[in-house]
Structure formats: C-alpha cells, structure tokens
Coordinates of all heavy atoms in Angstrom, one line a residue:
A28 N 166.2 -29.3 24.4 CA 167.3 -30.2 24.1 C 167.3 -31.5 24.7 O 166.6 -31.8 25.6 CB 168.5 -29.5 24.9
K29 N 167.9 -32.5 24.0 CA 167.9 -33.9 24.4 C 168.2 -34.0 25.8 O 167.7 -34.9 26.5 CB 168.6 -34.8 23.4 CG 168.6 -36.2 23.8 CD 169.5 -37.0 22.7 CE 169.2 -38.6 23.0 NZ 169.6 -38.9 24.4
I30 N 169.3 -33.4 26.3 CA 169.7 -33.5 27.6 C 168.7 -33.1 28.7 O 168.6 -33.8 29.7 CB 171.1 -32.8 27.8 CG1 171.8 -33.2 29.2 CG2 170.9 -31.4 27.9 CD1 173.3 -32.6 29.2
H31 N 167.8 -32.3 28.2 CA 166.9 -31.9 29.2 C 165.7 -32.9 29.2 O 165.2 -33.3 30.2 CB 166.4 -30.5 28.8 CG 165.1 -30.2 29.8 ND1 165.2 -29.9 31.1 CD2 163.7 -30.1 29.5 CE1 164.1 -29.7 31.7 NE2 163.1 -29.8 30.7
H32 N 165.3 -33.4 28.1 CA 164.3 -34.4 27.9 C 164.7 -35.6 28.7 O 163.9 -36.2 29.5 CB 164.0 -34.8 26.4 CG 163.0 -33.9 25.7 ND1 161.8 -34.3 25.2 CD2 163.2 -32.6 25.5 CE1 161.1 -33.2 24.7 NE2 161.9 -32.2 24.8
D33 N 166.0 -36.0 28.6 CA 166.4 -37.1 29.3 C 166.5 -37.0 30.7 O 166.1 -37.8 31.6 CB 167.9 -37.5 28.9 CG 167.8 -38.1 27.3 OD1 166.9 -38.4 26.9 OD2 169.0 -38.1 26.8
T34 N 166.9 -35.7 31.2 CA 167.0 -35.5 32.7 C 165.6 -35.3 33.4 O 165.4 -35.9 34.4 CB 167.7 -34.1 32.9 OG1 169.0 -34.2 32.3 CG2 167.8 -33.7 34.3
A35 N 164.7 -34.8 32.6 CA 163.3 -34.6 33.2 C 162.6 -36.0 33.3 O 161.9 -36.3 34.3 CB 162.5 -33.6 32.4
S36 N 162.9 -36.8 32.1 CA 162.3 -38.1 32.1 C 162.8 -38.9 33.2 O 162.1 -39.7 33.9 CB 162.5 -38.9 30.8 OG 161.9 -38.1 29.8
E37 N 164.2 -39.0 33.4 CA 164.8 -39.7 34.5 C 164.3 -39.3 35.9 O 164.1 -40.1 36.8 CB 166.2 -39.5 34.4 CG 166.9 -40.2 33.2 CD 168.4 -39.9 33.0 OE1 168.9 -39.0 33.9 OE2 168.9 -40.0 32.0
F38 N 164.0 -38.0 36.1 CA 163.6 -37.5 37.4 C 162.3 -38.0 37.6 O 161.8 -38.5 38.9 CB 163.6 -36.0 37.3 CG 163.5 -35.2 38.6 CD1 164.7 -34.7 39.2 CD2 162.3 -35.2 39.5 CE1 164.8 -34.1 40.4 CE2 162.5 -34.6 40.6 CZ 163.5 -34.1 41.2
F39 N 161.3 -37.9 36.7 CA 160.0 -38.4 36.9 C 160.0 -39.9 37.1 O 159.3 -40.4 37.9 CB 159.1 -38.2 35.5 CG 157.7 -38.6 35.6 CD1 156.7 -37.9 36.0 CD2 157.4 -39.9 35.1 CE1 155.4 -38.3 36.1 CE2 156.2 -40.4 35.3 CZ 155.1 -39.6 35.6
R40 N 160.7 -40.6 36.4 CA 160.7 -42.1 36.4 C 161.3 -42.6 37.8 O 160.7 -43.4 38.3 CB 161.8 -42.6 35.4 CG 161.7 -44.3 35.2 CD 160.4 -44.6 34.7 NE 160.1 -45.9 35.1 CZ 159.2 -46.9 34.5 NH1 158.6 -46.4 33.4 NH2 159.0 -48.0 34.8
K41 N 162.2 -41.7 38.4 CA 162.7 -42.1 39.7 C 161.7 -41.9 40.8 O 161.4 -42.8 41.6 CB 163.9 -41.3 40.1 CG 164.5 -41.7 41.4 CD 165.9 -41.0 41.7 CE 166.5 -41.6 43.1 NZ 167.9 -41.0 43.3
L42 N 160.9 -40.9 40.7 CA 159.8 -40.7 41.6 C 158.7 -41.7 41.5 O 158.1 -42.2 42.4 CB 159.3 -39.2 41.4 CG 160.0 -38.1 42.4 CD1 161.4 -38.0 42.3 CD2 159.2 -36.7 42.2
Y43 N 158.5 -42.0 40.2 CA 157.6 -43.0 39.7 C 157.7 -44.5 40.5 O 156.9 -45.1 40.9 CB 157.4 -43.0 38.3 CG 156.3 -44.1 37.7 CD1 155.0 -43.8 37.7 CD2 156.8 -45.4 37.4 CE1 154.0 -44.8 37.2 CE2 155.9 -46.3 37.0 CZ 154.5 -45.9 36.9 OH 153.6 -47.0 36.5
D44 N 159.1 -44.7 40.2 CA 159.5 -46.0 40.6 C 159.4 -46.2 42.1 O 159.3 -47.3 42.7 CB 160.9 -46.3 40.2 CG 160.9 -46.6 38.7 OD1 159.8 -46.9 38.0 OD2 162.0 -46.6 38.0
K45 N 159.6 -45.0 42.9 CA 159.6 -45.1 44.4 C 158.2 -45.0 44.9 O 158.0 -45.0 46.1 CB 160.4 -43.9 44.8 CG 161.9 -43.9 44.7 CD 162.6 -42.5 45.0 CE 162.4 -42.2 46.5 NZ 163.1 -41.0 46.9
G46 N 157.3 -44.8 43.9 CA 155.9 -44.7 44.3 C 155.5 -43.4 45.0 O 154.5 -43.2 45.8
D47 N 156.2 -42.3 44.5 CA 155.9 -41.0 45.1 C 154.6 -40.3 44.4 O 154.2 -39.2 44.9 CB 157.2 -40.1 44.9 CG 158.3 -40.5 46.0 OD1 157.7 -40.8 47.2 OD2 159.4 -40.5 45.6
F48 N 154.1 -40.8 43.4 CA 153.1 -40.1 42.7 C 151.8 -41.0 43.0 O 151.8 -42.1 43.3 CB 153.2 -40.2 41.1 CG 154.4 -39.3 40.7 CD1 155.3 -39.9 39.7 CD2 154.5 -38.1 41.0 CE1 156.3 -39.1 39.3 CE2 155.5 -37.5 40.6 CZ 156.4 -37.9 39.6
I49 N 150.6 -40.2 42.9 CA 149.3 -40.8 43.0 C 148.8 -40.8 41.5 O 148.8 -39.8 40.9 CB 148.4 -39.9 43.8 CG1 148.9 -39.8 45.2 CG2 146.9 -40.5 43.8 CD1 148.2 -38.7 46.0
E50 N 148.4 -42.0 41.2 CA 147.6 -42.1 39.8 C 146.2 -42.1 40.0 O 145.6 -42.7 40.8 CB 148.2 -43.5 39.3 CG 147.6 -43.7 37.8 CD 148.2 -45.0 37.3 OE1 149.3 -45.4 37.3 OE2 147.2 -45.7 36.8
E51 N 145.7 -41.2 39.1 CA 144.2 -41.0 39.4 C 143.5 -40.6 38.2 O 144.1 -39.9 37.3 CB 144.0 -39.8 40.4 CG 142.8 -39.7 41.0 CD 142.7 -38.5 42.3 OE1 143.7 -38.6 43.1 OE2 141.9 -37.6 42.2
V52 N 142.3 -41.1 38.0 CA 141.3 -40.6 36.8 C 140.5 -39.5 37.3 O 139.8 -39.5 38.4 CB 140.5 -41.9 36.4 CG1 139.4 -41.4 35.4 CG2 141.3 -43.0 35.9
T53 N 140.6 -38.5 36.7 CA 139.9 -37.3 37.1 C 139.0 -36.7 36.0 O 139.3 -37.0 34.8 CB 140.9 -36.1 37.5 OG1 141.7 -35.7 36.4 CG2 141.7 -36.6 38.7
E54 N 138.2 -35.7 36.2 CA 137.3 -35.0 35.1 C 138.2 -33.7 34.8 O 138.4 -32.9 35.8 CB 136.1 -34.7 35.8 CG 135.1 -35.9 36.4 CD 134.4 -36.5 35.3 OE1 133.2 -35.9 35.0 OE2 134.7 -37.4 34.5
Q55 N 138.3 -33.7 33.6 CA 139.1 -32.5 33.1 C 138.0 -31.8 32.0 O 137.3 -32.5 31.3 CB 140.4 -32.8 32.5 CG 141.4 -33.5 33.4 CD 142.0 -32.5 34.4 OE1 142.1 -31.3 34.1 NE2 142.3 -33.0 35.5
L56 N 138.3 -30.5 31.8 CA 137.6 -29.8 30.8 C 138.0 -30.3 29.4 O 139.2 -30.3 29.0 CB 137.9 -28.3 30.9 CG 137.2 -27.7 32.2 CD1 137.5 -26.2 32.3 CD2 135.7 -28.0 32.5
Y57 N 137.0 -30.4 28.5 CA 137.3 -31.0 27.2 C 136.5 -30.2 26.2 O 135.3 -29.9 26.4 CB 136.8 -32.5 27.2 CG 137.0 -33.2 25.8 CD1 138.3 -33.8 25.5 CD2 136.0 -33.4 25.0 CE1 138.5 -34.5 24.4 CE2 136.2 -34.1 23.7 CZ 137.4 -34.6 23.5 OH 137.7 -35.3 22.3
D58 N 137.1 -29.7 25.1 CA 136.3 -29.1 24.1 C 135.9 -30.1 23.0 O 136.8 -30.6 22.3 CB 137.4 -28.0 23.4 CG 136.7 -27.1 22.4 OD1 135.7 -27.4 21.8 OD2 137.1 -25.9 22.4
A59 N 134.6 -30.3 23.0 CA 134.1 -31.3 22.2 C 134.3 -30.9 20.7 O 134.5 -31.7 19.7 CB 132.7 -31.5 22.5
K60 N 134.2 -29.6 20.3 CA 134.3 -29.1 19.0 C 135.6 -29.2 18.5 O 135.8 -29.7 17.4 CB 133.8 -27.6 18.8 CG 133.6 -27.1 17.5 CD 133.2 -25.7 17.5 CE 132.9 -25.2 16.1 NZ 132.3 -23.9 16.2
A61 N 136.7 -28.9 19.3 CA 138.2 -29.1 18.9 C 138.6 -30.5 19.1 O 139.7 -30.8 18.8 CB 138.9 -28.1 19.8
D62 N 137.7 -31.4 19.8 CA 138.2 -32.6 20.1 C 139.5 -32.8 20.8 O 140.4 -33.5 20.4 CB 138.2 -33.5 18.7 CG 138.3 -35.0 19.1 OD1 138.0 -35.5 20.0 OD2 138.9 -35.7 18.2
Q63 N 139.5 -32.0 21.9 CA 140.8 -32.1 22.7 C 140.6 -31.7 24.0 O 139.6 -30.9 24.4 CB 141.9 -31.4 22.2 CG 141.8 -29.9 22.2 CD 143.0 -29.2 21.6 OE1 143.2 -29.0 20.4 NE2 143.7 -28.5 22.5
F64 N 141.3 -32.3 25.0 CA 141.3 -31.7 26.4 C 142.0 -30.3 26.5 O 142.9 -30.1 25.6 CB 142.1 -32.7 27.3 CG 141.4 -33.9 27.7 CD1 141.7 -35.1 27.1 CD2 140.5 -34.0 28.8 CE1 141.0 -36.3 27.5 CE2 139.8 -35.1 29.1 CZ 140.1 -36.2 28.5
L65 N 141.5 -29.5 27.4 CA 141.9 -28.2 27.4 C 142.9 -27.9 28.5 O 142.6 -28.1 29.6 CB 140.8 -27.2 27.6 CG 139.7 -27.2 26.6 CD1 138.6 -26.3 26.9 CD2 140.3 -26.6 25.2
A66 N 144.1 -27.6 28.1 CA 145.2 -27.1 29.1 C 144.7 -25.8 29.7 O 143.9 -25.1 29.2 CB 146.6 -27.0 28.4
D67 N 145.2 -25.6 31.0 CA 144.8 -24.5 31.7 C 144.7 -23.2 31.0 O 143.8 -22.5 31.2 CB 145.7 -24.4 33.1 CG 145.6 -25.6 33.9 OD1 144.7 -26.3 33.8 OD2 146.6 -25.8 34.6
R68 N 145.7 -22.9 30.3 CA 145.6 -21.6 29.5 C 144.7 -21.5 28.3 O 144.6 -20.4 27.8 CB 147.1 -21.2 29.0 CG 147.9 -20.7 30.3 CD 147.8 -19.2 30.5 NE 148.3 -19.0 31.9 CZ 148.5 -17.6 32.2 NH1 148.4 -16.6 31.4 NH2 148.8 -17.5 33.5
F69 N 144.2 -22.7 27.9 CA 143.2 -22.7 26.9 C 141.7 -22.5 27.4 O 140.8 -22.7 26.7 CB 143.2 -23.9 25.9 CG 144.5 -23.9 25.0 CD1 145.4 -24.8 25.1 CD2 144.4 -23.0 24.0 CE1 146.5 -24.8 24.2 CE2 145.4 -22.9 23.0 CZ 146.5 -23.8 23.1
V70 N 141.7 -22.2 28.8 CA 140.4 -21.9 29.4 C 140.4 -20.6 30.1 O 141.3 -20.2 30.7 CB 140.0 -23.1 30.4 CG1 138.7 -22.9 30.9 CG2 140.3 -24.5 29.9
T71 N 139.3 -19.8 29.8 CA 139.2 -18.6 30.6 C 137.8 -18.7 31.1 O 136.8 -19.4 30.7 CB 139.3 -17.4 29.8 OG1 138.3 -17.4 28.6 CG2 140.6 -17.2 29.2
G72 N 137.6 -17.9 32.2 CA 136.3 -17.7 32.9 C 136.3 -16.8 34.0 O 137.3 -16.2 34.3

C-alpha cells in the first residue's frame, strides 16, 4: 500500500538524515549467468 511505502521511506530517510547508517561497499554474491546479485534466499549451501 502507498501509506506503507511512504511510512517506510520516511523512517529510512529520517535515520539517514541523522547519520545513523553506515554506507559501505561490500562484496556480495552475484550470479553471472542470471546477471544479478543474489538475495539471501536465492542462495543455498
């Protein structure tokens, strides 16, 4: 729902503007054949 998208975005933005997040470049698992990063549930091991 739009009200949720707006609420979650506002929540994130408030923490972001206060400097509460760490911005970081990290190594993530990537499926070269599918040409996409793999979210956690798209990986098993």
Side-chain angles (χ1 to χ4, degrees):
K29 183 178 185 300
I30 195 168
H31 176 70
H32 277 242
D33 292 345
T34 302
S36 295
E37 289 165 9
F38 200 106
F39 178 92
R40 187 76 206 197
K41 183 171 182 180
L42 269 58
Y43 177 85
D44 290 342
K45 289 171 63 180
D47 284 317
F48 294 131
I49 299 170
E50 185 178 311
E51 199 172 303
V52 174
T53 62
E54 299 270 279
Q55 299 288 330
L56 294 179
Y57 183 84
D58 186 330
K60 187 174 182 180
D62 191 23
Q63 70 176 72
F64 283 98
L65 295 174
D67 298 336
R68 286 270 158 168
F69 280 120
V70 187
T71 59

